[in-house]
Amino acid sequence: MNAANIENISEFYKALNSTEVLRAQGMIEGAPSIIEDKLSYDMSAESIKVANDAIKHIENNRKMVTIPLDQYKKSIMDVEREHIAPLKAYIEQRKAMMIDYSNELERKKAEADAKIAQDAANALKSASSSDVSDIFANFTDATTTTTLELDHTKNIRITKKAEIVGEVDWATLLWTLMQAEMFDVAELLRKLPKAMEITNITEIKGIEIVEHKTQAIR
C-alpha cells in the first residue's frame, strides 16, 4: 500500500467526525419528536438533506481509499482470467466430447437391445412352451451384456429445461407452476402496475393497485 493510500485512509477516519457529520448529528438530536406543522415538517426535510450530505461525505472519502484497491483487484483478476481462460475452454470442450461419447454409447446400446428384443420375438414365434424360459433367460443375459459393455460412462448429469417451440398453452403453463408453488407471484405483481398502465387495463379481478408513498428528499 503506497503513502497516498495511507493518507486517504487517514482522511476517511477524519471524515467520520467531520463538520458535515457533526452537523447532521446535531440536527438529528434537535429534530422535533413529531411532525405536527409546517415548521416541524420543514425542519425534518432539512435534517434529512443534511444527513444525506453527511453520508455522501463519508462515502466519497471511503471511495478515495477503495477505488485504487478496486482497480488493483481488477488488474489482478484480469491476469487471473487470462491464465484460467484456456483451462476453462479445455474443460468445456472435453466435457462436450464426453457427452457426445455417452450419447453414442446410448445409441449403440438402444440399437443392440432392439436387435436382441427382435431376435427374441422371432424365436418365440416358433418356440415350444418348454423353450420360452430359455429364450427369456438368453434375452436377459444378452441385454445385461450390452449394459456392461456399453454403459461405462460416469458423472453425466441430466437436466431439463423448457423451450418455446410453438404456440403455448399459457393457462396450463401457469397452472402447472402455481400448483407446484414455483410461480413467483411477488415478481409478477411488482411489474403488474406498469404493465396495466402500458396496456390501459384499469381493473383485473382479484387485484387491487395500492399506492405507496415515499419521501424523495436526497
Side-chain angles (χ1 to χ4, degrees), residues 166-176:
E167 186 175 349
V168 178
D169 181 354
W170 291 105
T172 302
L173 185 151
L174 294 174
W175 181 88
T176 301

Side-chain angles (χ1 to χ4, degrees), residues 16-174:
L16 301 179
N17 295 294
S18 63
T19 302
E20 290 85 350
V21 173
L22 294 176
R23 181 175 178 229
Q25 292 171 342
M27 292 195 71
I28 290 171
E29 291 176 2
S33 57
I34 60 173
I35 297 176
E36 56 184 356
D37 52 26
K38 185 179 185 305
L39 176 61
S40 57
Y41 185 93
D42 290 344
M43 288 178 65
S44 296
E46 181 61 20
S47 65
I48 290 173
K49 183 180 182 305
V50 171
N52 272 324
D53 289 343
I55 291 171
K56 291 174 184 176
H57 181 67
I58 293 174
E59 287 179 343
N60 289 337
N61 279 273
R62 184 266 302 165
K63 289 176 182 177
M64 294 293 290
V65 178
T66 58
I67 287 178
L69 295 177
D70 290 340
Q71 292 171 341
Y72 182 69
K73 176 184 175 182
K74 182 181 180 301
S75 67
I76 294 295
M77 292 180 69
D78 287 342
V79 174
E80 174 194 27
R81 194 176 298 110
E82 178 184 349
H83 283 75
I84 67 176
L87 301 175
K88 285 187 173 181
Y90 167 80
I91 290 170
E92 293 304 313
Q93 180 190 42
R94 188 59 46 166
K95 282 184 175 181
M97 292 170 62
M98 293 172 74
I99 290 173
D100 289 342
Y101 175 72
S102 175
N103 290 339
E104 179 63 13
L105 287 186
E106 287 183 4
R107 186 193 67 77
K108 288 182 178 179
K109 184 178 186 307
E111 189 177 84
D113 287 346
K115 184 178 183 305
I116 292 168
Q118 186 60 53
D119 291 344
N122 293 337
L124 285 172
K125 290 179 181 179
S126 59
S128 64
S129 58
S130 61
D131 294 331
V132 171
S133 60
D134 289 337
I135 292 172
F136 275 111
N138 290 334
F139 171 76
T140 302
D141 289 343
T143 53
T144 299
T145 299
T146 61
T147 298
L148 293 174
E149 289 178 349
L150 298 175
D151 188 18
H152 57 262
T153 56
K154 60 182 179 178
N155 298 326
I156 301 293
R157 179 187 300 125
I158 298 175
T159 57
K160 296 180 180 180
K161 66 177 183 178
E163 297 180 346
I164 295 178
V165 295
E167 186 175 349
V168 178
D169 181 354
W170 291 105
T172 302
L173 185 151
L174 294 174

